[in-house]
Amino acid sequence: MEKTKYWLVKSEPFKYSWEKFNEDGRTFWDGVRNYQARNNLKAMKEGDLVLFYHSNEGKNVVGIAKVVREFYQDPTTDDANWVVVDLSPVETLKNPVSLEQIKAEPSLADISLVRQGRLSVMPLKAAEFDKILEMGA
């Protein structure tokens, strides 16, 4: 079986919050209009784990989701360049992990959240994913 991959997705809480995601139970991840982020969506496999990050306000990793459907055409646009994946919530972090905490942690210095602040969908190494979970426990 293919090894689980790890990701981080960002959402502005006023647009789509972790609380709303939990109410919905499942959503497609739309609105990605950056080729690098789109390619990351295309690389996601069913069962991969995803950290949910509130951007702009909060700036916290707040929960874990998982990929429940691999990429397909974004239903919010006719442009075939753009895709979505379906995600569903798995668990809320006991303590949200802030961007400041992440930046202060030497083992997380290379993650895209720190290096490419505008990227909305990014891969994480297993050790980075685990470290953020440990910080949020």
Side-chain angles (χ1 to χ4, degrees), residues 2 4 6 22-23 26 34 41 52 55 64 67 69 71-72 75 90 96 98 100-101 109 116-117 119 126 130 135:
E2 201 174 311
T4 302
Y6 302 93
N22 275 277
E23 281 170 31
R26 179 178 177 138
N34 165 293
L41 284 178
F52 191 107
S55 58
I64 309 163
V67 178
R69 182 179 172 191
F71 81 90
Y72 57 97
V90 175
S98 72
E100 289 68 38
Q101 289 171 281
Q116 292 177 273
L119 190 63
D130 290 343
M135 291 164 73

PDB file of all heavy atoms in Angstrom, residues 2 4 6 22-23 26 34 41 52 55 64 67 69 71-72 75 90 96 98 100-101 109 116-117 119 126 130 135:
ATOM      1  N   GLU A   2       0.455   2.248  -0.734  1.00  0.00           N
ATOM      2  CA  GLU A   2       1.231   3.488  -0.819  1.00  0.00           C
ATOM      3  C   GLU A   2       1.231   4.194   0.527  1.00  0.00           C
ATOM      4  O   GLU A   2       0.243   4.199   1.243  1.00  0.00           O
ATOM      5  CB  GLU A   2       0.631   4.401  -1.891  1.00  0.00           C
ATOM      6  CG  GLU A   2       1.636   5.431  -2.370  1.00  0.00           C
ATOM      7  CD  GLU A   2       1.109   6.242  -3.535  1.00  0.00           C
ATOM      8  OE1 GLU A   2       0.609   5.630  -4.499  1.00  0.00           O
ATOM      9  OE2 GLU A   2       1.204   7.480  -3.472  1.00  0.00           O
ATOM     10  N   THR A   4       1.137   6.976   3.330  1.00  0.00           N
ATOM     11  CA  THR A   4       0.375   8.205   3.530  1.00  0.00           C
ATOM     12  C   THR A   4       1.273   9.402   3.296  1.00  0.00           C
ATOM     13  O   THR A   4       2.426   9.420   3.724  1.00  0.00           O
ATOM     14  CB  THR A   4      -0.163   8.257   4.972  1.00  0.00           C
ATOM     15  OG1 THR A   4      -0.961   7.098   5.203  1.00  0.00           O
ATOM     16  CG2 THR A   4      -1.001   9.503   5.213  1.00  0.00           C
ATOM     17  N   TYR A   6       1.447  13.765   3.601  1.00  0.00           N
ATOM     18  CA  TYR A   6       0.951  14.774   4.525  1.00  0.00           C
ATOM     19  C   TYR A   6       0.940  16.131   3.845  1.00  0.00           C
ATOM     20  O   TYR A   6       1.836  16.459   3.072  1.00  0.00           O
ATOM     21  CB  TYR A   6       1.834  14.803   5.788  1.00  0.00           C
ATOM     22  CG  TYR A   6       1.860  13.462   6.467  1.00  0.00           C
ATOM     23  CD1 TYR A   6       2.848  12.540   6.178  1.00  0.00           C
ATOM     24  CD2 TYR A   6       0.848  13.100   7.354  1.00  0.00           C
ATOM     25  CE1 TYR A   6       2.846  11.283   6.780  1.00  0.00           C
ATOM     26  CE2 TYR A   6       0.828  11.851   7.949  1.00  0.00           C
ATOM     27  CZ  TYR A   6       1.833  10.949   7.661  1.00  0.00           C
ATOM     28  OH  TYR A   6       1.813   9.711   8.247  1.00  0.00           O
ATOM     29  N   ASN A  22     -16.427  21.089  10.217  1.00  0.00           N
ATOM     30  CA  ASN A  22     -16.909  20.019  11.098  1.00  0.00           C
ATOM     31  C   ASN A  22     -18.420  19.856  11.015  1.00  0.00           C
ATOM     32  O   ASN A  22     -18.915  18.730  11.039  1.00  0.00           O
ATOM     33  CB  ASN A  22     -16.465  20.260  12.543  1.00  0.00           C
ATOM     34  CG  ASN A  22     -15.077  19.725  12.789  1.00  0.00           C
ATOM     35  OD1 ASN A  22     -14.898  18.552  13.047  1.00  0.00           O
ATOM     36  ND2 ASN A  22     -14.077  20.579  12.664  1.00  0.00           N
ATOM     37  N   GLU A  23     -19.150  20.970  10.891  1.00  0.00           N
ATOM     38  CA  GLU A  23     -20.608  20.892  10.711  1.00  0.00           C
ATOM     39  C   GLU A  23     -20.942  20.180   9.407  1.00  0.00           C
ATOM     40  O   GLU A  23     -21.833  19.342   9.363  1.00  0.00           O
ATOM     41  CB  GLU A  23     -21.218  22.299  10.642  1.00  0.00           C
ATOM     42  CG  GLU A  23     -21.402  22.976  11.968  1.00  0.00           C
ATOM     43  CD  GLU A  23     -21.785  24.451  11.789  1.00  0.00           C
ATOM     44  OE1 GLU A  23     -22.456  24.795  10.780  1.00  0.00           O
ATOM     45  OE2 GLU A  23     -21.381  25.256  12.655  1.00  0.00           O
ATOM     46  N   ARG A  26     -17.844  17.093   5.420  1.00  0.00           N
ATOM     47  CA  ARG A  26     -17.096  16.798   4.201  1.00  0.00           C
ATOM     48  C   ARG A  26     -17.234  18.008   3.285  1.00  0.00           C
ATOM     49  O   ARG A  26     -18.273  18.658   3.278  1.00  0.00           O
ATOM     50  CB  ARG A  26     -17.689  15.572   3.518  1.00  0.00           C
ATOM     51  CG  ARG A  26     -17.006  15.183   2.223  1.00  0.00           C
ATOM     52  CD  ARG A  26     -17.656  13.924   1.651  1.00  0.00           C
ATOM     53  NE  ARG A  26     -17.052  13.584   0.383  1.00  0.00           N
ATOM     54  CZ  ARG A  26     -16.734  12.346   0.024  1.00  0.00           C
ATOM     55  NH1 ARG A  26     -16.980  11.346   0.839  1.00  0.00           N
ATOM     56  NH2 ARG A  26     -16.197  12.125  -1.149  1.00  0.00           N
ATOM     57  N   ASN A  34      -3.700  28.720  -8.132  1.00  0.00           N
ATOM     58  CA  ASN A  34      -2.245  28.834  -8.198  1.00  0.00           C
ATOM     59  C   ASN A  34      -1.766  27.474  -8.702  1.00  0.00           C
ATOM     60  O   ASN A  34      -2.218  26.448  -8.211  1.00  0.00           O
ATOM     61  CB  ASN A  34      -1.721  29.144  -6.785  1.00  0.00           C
ATOM     62  CG  ASN A  34      -0.227  28.931  -6.633  1.00  0.00           C
ATOM     63  OD1 ASN A  34       0.278  27.816  -6.702  1.00  0.00           O
ATOM     64  ND2 ASN A  34       0.476  30.009  -6.392  1.00  0.00           N
ATOM     65  N   LEU A  41      -2.711  19.612  -5.043  1.00  0.00           N
ATOM     66  CA  LEU A  41      -4.030  18.958  -4.953  1.00  0.00           C
ATOM     67  C   LEU A  41      -4.042  17.688  -5.797  1.00  0.00           C
ATOM     68  O   LEU A  41      -4.552  16.653  -5.378  1.00  0.00           O
ATOM     69  CB  LEU A  41      -5.152  19.888  -5.441  1.00  0.00           C
ATOM     70  CG  LEU A  41      -5.618  21.008  -4.530  1.00  0.00           C
ATOM     71  CD1 LEU A  41      -6.691  21.834  -5.230  1.00  0.00           C
ATOM     72  CD2 LEU A  41      -6.145  20.476  -3.209  1.00  0.00           C
ATOM     73  N   PHE A  52      -5.265  21.550   8.785  1.00  0.00           N
ATOM     74  CA  PHE A  52      -6.155  22.657   8.416  1.00  0.00           C
ATOM     75  C   PHE A  52      -5.658  23.904   9.126  1.00  0.00           C
ATOM     76  O   PHE A  52      -5.584  23.931  10.359  1.00  0.00           O
ATOM     77  CB  PHE A  52      -7.581  22.293   8.861  1.00  0.00           C
ATOM     78  CG  PHE A  52      -8.664  23.189   8.333  1.00  0.00           C
ATOM     79  CD1 PHE A  52      -9.516  22.740   7.349  1.00  0.00           C
ATOM     80  CD2 PHE A  52      -8.857  24.473   8.836  1.00  0.00           C
ATOM     81  CE1 PHE A  52     -10.565  23.546   6.869  1.00  0.00           C
ATOM     82  CE2 PHE A  52      -9.881  25.286   8.369  1.00  0.00           C
ATOM     83  CZ  PHE A  52     -10.729  24.822   7.378  1.00  0.00           C
ATOM     84  N   SER A  55      -5.855  30.975   7.989  1.00  0.00           N
ATOM     85  CA  SER A  55      -4.941  32.036   7.562  1.00  0.00           C
ATOM     86  C   SER A  55      -5.547  33.410   7.839  1.00  0.00           C
ATOM     87  O   SER A  55      -6.736  33.521   8.152  1.00  0.00           O
ATOM     88  CB  SER A  55      -4.606  31.882   6.072  1.00  0.00           C
ATOM     89  OG  SER A  55      -5.784  31.906   5.305  1.00  0.00           O
ATOM     90  N   ILE A  64      -7.016  18.327  11.936  1.00  0.00           N
ATOM     91  CA  ILE A  64      -6.542  17.338  10.974  1.00  0.00           C
ATOM     92  C   ILE A  64      -7.740  16.885  10.142  1.00  0.00           C
ATOM     93  O   ILE A  64      -8.809  16.586  10.688  1.00  0.00           O
ATOM     94  CB  ILE A  64      -5.980  16.088  11.679  1.00  0.00           C
ATOM     95  CG1 ILE A  64      -4.949  16.477  12.739  1.00  0.00           C
ATOM     96  CG2 ILE A  64      -5.370  15.109  10.671  1.00  0.00           C
ATOM     97  CD1 ILE A  64      -4.676  15.358  13.735  1.00  0.00           C
ATOM     98  N   VAL A  67      -8.032  13.158   3.117  1.00  0.00           N
ATOM     99  CA  VAL A  67      -8.499  13.165   1.730  1.00  0.00           C
ATOM    100  C   VAL A  67      -9.441  11.980   1.559  1.00  0.00           C
ATOM    101  O   VAL A  67      -9.064  10.841   1.822  1.00  0.00           O
ATOM    102  CB  VAL A  67      -7.305  13.060   0.744  1.00  0.00           C
ATOM    103  CG1 VAL A  67      -7.804  13.025  -0.699  1.00  0.00           C
ATOM    104  CG2 VAL A  67      -6.328  14.219   0.955  1.00  0.00           C
ATOM    105  N   ARG A  69     -11.604  11.909  -1.376  1.00  0.00           N
ATOM    106  CA  ARG A  69     -11.779  11.720  -2.820  1.00  0.00           C
ATOM    107  C   ARG A  69     -10.657  12.455  -3.529  1.00  0.00           C
ATOM    108  O   ARG A  69     -10.378  13.608  -3.217  1.00  0.00           O
ATOM    109  CB  ARG A  69     -13.135  12.268  -3.286  1.00  0.00           C
ATOM    110  CG  ARG A  69     -13.373  12.049  -4.775  1.00  0.00           C
ATOM    111  CD  ARG A  69     -14.722  12.566  -5.235  1.00  0.00           C
ATOM    112  NE  ARG A  69     -14.812  12.509  -6.700  1.00  0.00           N
ATOM    113  CZ  ARG A  69     -15.769  13.072  -7.408  1.00  0.00           C
ATOM    114  NH1 ARG A  69     -16.729  13.747  -6.811  1.00  0.00           N
ATOM    115  NH2 ARG A  69     -15.775  12.981  -8.722  1.00  0.00           N
ATOM    116  N   PHE A  71      -8.491  14.138  -6.806  1.00  0.00           N
ATOM    117  CA  PHE A  71      -8.840  15.333  -7.578  1.00  0.00           C
ATOM    118  C   PHE A  71      -9.817  15.089  -8.722  1.00  0.00           C
ATOM    119  O   PHE A  71      -9.826  14.054  -9.351  1.00  0.00           O
ATOM    120  CB  PHE A  71      -7.573  16.045  -8.081  1.00  0.00           C
ATOM    121  CG  PHE A  71      -6.968  15.448  -9.330  1.00  0.00           C
ATOM    122  CD1 PHE A  71      -7.373  15.897 -10.582  1.00  0.00           C
ATOM    123  CD2 PHE A  71      -5.996  14.474  -9.244  1.00  0.00           C
ATOM    124  CE1 PHE A  71      -6.821  15.371 -11.738  1.00  0.00           C
ATOM    125  CE2 PHE A  71      -5.439  13.936 -10.398  1.00  0.00           C
ATOM    126  CZ  PHE A  71      -5.851  14.379 -11.647  1.00  0.00           C
ATOM    127  N   TYR A  72     -10.654  16.094  -8.930  1.00  0.00           N
ATOM    128  CA  TYR A  72     -11.583  16.141 -10.060  1.00  0.00           C
ATOM    129  C   TYR A  72     -11.813  17.605 -10.407  1.00  0.00           C
ATOM    130  O   TYR A  72     -11.398  18.494  -9.662  1.00  0.00           O
ATOM    131  CB  TYR A  72     -12.899  15.398  -9.743  1.00  0.00           C
ATOM    132  CG  TYR A  72     -13.653  15.885  -8.521  1.00  0.00           C
ATOM    133  CD1 TYR A  72     -14.722  16.791  -8.644  1.00  0.00           C
ATOM    134  CD2 TYR A  72     -13.316  15.447  -7.240  1.00  0.00           C
ATOM    135  CE1 TYR A  72     -15.421  17.229  -7.524  1.00  0.00           C
ATOM    136  CE2 TYR A  72     -14.018  15.885  -6.119  1.00  0.00           C
ATOM    137  CZ  TYR A  72     -15.060  16.778  -6.270  1.00  0.00           C
ATOM    138  OH  TYR A  72     -15.762  17.211  -5.167  1.00  0.00           O
ATOM    139  N   PRO A  75     -15.936  22.199  -9.472  1.00  0.00           N
ATOM    140  CA  PRO A  75     -17.308  22.473  -9.922  1.00  0.00           C
ATOM    141  C   PRO A  75     -17.678  23.957  -9.903  1.00  0.00           C
ATOM    142  O   PRO A  75     -18.714  24.337 -10.434  1.00  0.00           O
ATOM    143  CB  PRO A  75     -18.168  21.683  -8.938  1.00  0.00           C
ATOM    144  CG  PRO A  75     -17.319  21.469  -7.738  1.00  0.00           C
ATOM    145  CD  PRO A  75     -15.892  21.477  -8.201  1.00  0.00           C
ATOM    146  N   VAL A  90     -11.048  15.038  10.717  1.00  0.00           N
ATOM    147  CA  VAL A  90     -10.700  13.873  11.529  1.00  0.00           C
ATOM    148  C   VAL A  90     -10.675  14.248  13.001  1.00  0.00           C
ATOM    149  O   VAL A  90     -11.297  13.589  13.829  1.00  0.00           O
ATOM    150  CB  VAL A  90      -9.312  13.317  11.116  1.00  0.00           C
ATOM    151  CG1 VAL A  90      -8.883  12.173  12.036  1.00  0.00           C
ATOM    152  CG2 VAL A  90      -9.331  12.851   9.664  1.00  0.00           C
ATOM    153  N   PRO A  96      -4.476  24.932  19.325  1.00  0.00           N
ATOM    154  CA  PRO A  96      -4.071  25.404  18.002  1.00  0.00           C
ATOM    155  C   PRO A  96      -2.579  25.755  18.007  1.00  0.00           C
ATOM    156  O   PRO A  96      -2.056  26.227  19.011  1.00  0.00           O
ATOM    157  CB  PRO A  96      -4.922  26.652  17.782  1.00  0.00           C
ATOM    158  CG  PRO A  96      -6.104  26.477  18.681  1.00  0.00           C
ATOM    159  CD  PRO A  96      -5.587  25.724  19.873  1.00  0.00           C
ATOM    160  N   SER A  98       0.243  28.053  16.495  1.00  0.00           N
ATOM    161  CA  SER A  98       0.328  29.338  15.795  1.00  0.00           C
ATOM    162  C   SER A  98       1.499  29.389  14.827  1.00  0.00           C
ATOM    163  O   SER A  98       2.485  28.648  14.972  1.00  0.00           O
ATOM    164  CB  SER A  98       0.463  30.478  16.803  1.00  0.00           C
ATOM    165  OG  SER A  98       1.765  30.445  17.385  1.00  0.00           O
ATOM    166  N   GLU A 100       3.610  31.707  14.736  1.00  0.00           N
ATOM    167  CA  GLU A 100       4.779  32.113  15.540  1.00  0.00           C
ATOM    168  C   GLU A 100       5.474  30.896  16.139  1.00  0.00           C
ATOM    169  O   GLU A 100       6.686  30.798  16.120  1.00  0.00           O
ATOM    170  CB  GLU A 100       4.376  33.071  16.678  1.00  0.00           C
ATOM    171  CG  GLU A 100       3.967  34.461  16.229  1.00  0.00           C
ATOM    172  CD  GLU A 100       2.652  34.491  15.435  1.00  0.00           C
ATOM    173  OE1 GLU A 100       1.704  33.723  15.771  1.00  0.00           O
ATOM    174  OE2 GLU A 100       2.567  35.270  14.469  1.00  0.00           O
ATOM    175  N   GLN A 101       4.667  29.961  16.680  1.00  0.00           N
ATOM    176  CA  GLN A 101       5.244  28.735  17.251  1.00  0.00           C
ATOM    177  C   GLN A 101       5.962  27.926  16.174  1.00  0.00           C
ATOM    178  O   GLN A 101       7.036  27.390  16.412  1.00  0.00           O
ATOM    179  CB  GLN A 101       4.150  27.856  17.872  1.00  0.00           C
ATOM    180  CG  GLN A 101       3.551  28.392  19.153  1.00  0.00           C
ATOM    181  CD  GLN A 101       2.333  27.550  19.542  1.00  0.00           C
ATOM    182  OE1 GLN A 101       1.247  27.724  18.996  1.00  0.00           O
ATOM    183  NE2 GLN A 101       2.529  26.628  20.464  1.00  0.00           N
ATOM    184  N   ALA A 109      11.691  24.891   9.989  1.00  0.00           N
ATOM    185  CA  ALA A 109      12.191  26.065   9.257  1.00  0.00           C
ATOM    186  C   ALA A 109      12.006  25.951   7.745  1.00  0.00           C
ATOM    187  O   ALA A 109      11.918  26.963   7.053  1.00  0.00           O
ATOM    188  CB  ALA A 109      13.662  26.304   9.586  1.00  0.00           C
ATOM    189  N   GLN A 116       7.017  29.999   1.843  1.00  0.00           N
ATOM    190  CA  GLN A 116       6.152  30.531   0.772  1.00  0.00           C
ATOM    191  C   GLN A 116       4.808  30.872   1.389  1.00  0.00           C
ATOM    192  O   GLN A 116       3.844  30.127   1.231  1.00  0.00           O
ATOM    193  CB  GLN A 116       5.928  29.478  -0.312  1.00  0.00           C
ATOM    194  CG  GLN A 116       7.144  29.118  -1.113  1.00  0.00           C
ATOM    195  CD  GLN A 116       6.776  28.018  -2.096  1.00  0.00           C
ATOM    196  OE1 GLN A 116       6.835  26.850  -1.777  1.00  0.00           O
ATOM    197  NE2 GLN A 116       6.385  28.403  -3.291  1.00  0.00           N
ATOM    198  N   GLY A 117       4.778  31.993   2.063  1.00  0.00           N
ATOM    199  CA  GLY A 117       3.595  32.364   2.824  1.00  0.00           C
ATOM    200  C   GLY A 117       2.286  32.401   2.059  1.00  0.00           C
ATOM    201  O   GLY A 117       1.231  32.261   2.648  1.00  0.00           O
ATOM    202  N   LEU A 119       1.353  30.346  -0.499  1.00  0.00           N
ATOM    203  CA  LEU A 119       0.915  29.060  -1.039  1.00  0.00           C
ATOM    204  C   LEU A 119      -0.200  28.480  -0.169  1.00  0.00           C
ATOM    205  O   LEU A 119      -0.072  28.406   1.045  1.00  0.00           O
ATOM    206  CB  LEU A 119       2.117  28.098  -1.097  1.00  0.00           C
ATOM    207  CG  LEU A 119       1.900  26.795  -1.852  1.00  0.00           C
ATOM    208  CD1 LEU A 119       1.599  27.053  -3.330  1.00  0.00           C
ATOM    209  CD2 LEU A 119       3.129  25.904  -1.711  1.00  0.00           C
ATOM    210  N   ALA A 126       6.560  13.742   6.897  1.00  0.00           N
ATOM    211  CA  ALA A 126       5.932  13.067   8.041  1.00  0.00           C
ATOM    212  C   ALA A 126       6.436  13.651   9.363  1.00  0.00           C
ATOM    213  O   ALA A 126       5.652  13.887  10.288  1.00  0.00           O
ATOM    214  CB  ALA A 126       6.201  11.562   7.975  1.00  0.00           C
ATOM    215  N   ASP A 130       4.141  15.377  12.194  1.00  0.00           N
ATOM    216  CA  ASP A 130       4.148  14.843  13.558  1.00  0.00           C
ATOM    217  C   ASP A 130       4.547  15.906  14.576  1.00  0.00           C
ATOM    218  O   ASP A 130       3.994  15.964  15.669  1.00  0.00           O
ATOM    219  CB  ASP A 130       5.093  13.643  13.665  1.00  0.00           C
ATOM    220  CG  ASP A 130       4.552  12.420  12.904  1.00  0.00           C
ATOM    221  OD1 ASP A 130       3.350  12.401  12.580  1.00  0.00           O
ATOM    222  OD2 ASP A 130       5.351  11.500  12.638  1.00  0.00           O
ATOM    223  N   MET A 135       3.062  19.599  18.966  1.00  0.00           N
ATOM    224  CA  MET A 135       2.938  20.964  19.493  1.00  0.00           C
ATOM    225  C   MET A 135       1.489  21.304  19.829  1.00  0.00           C
ATOM    226  O   MET A 135       1.214  22.117  20.704  1.00  0.00           O
ATOM    227  CB  MET A 135       3.499  21.970  18.481  1.00  0.00           C
ATOM    228  CG  MET A 135       5.011  21.878  18.320  1.00  0.00           C
ATOM    229  SD  MET A 135       5.613  22.713  16.812  1.00  0.00           S
ATOM    230  CE  MET A 135       5.427  24.434  17.272  1.00  0.00           C
TER     231      MET A 135
END
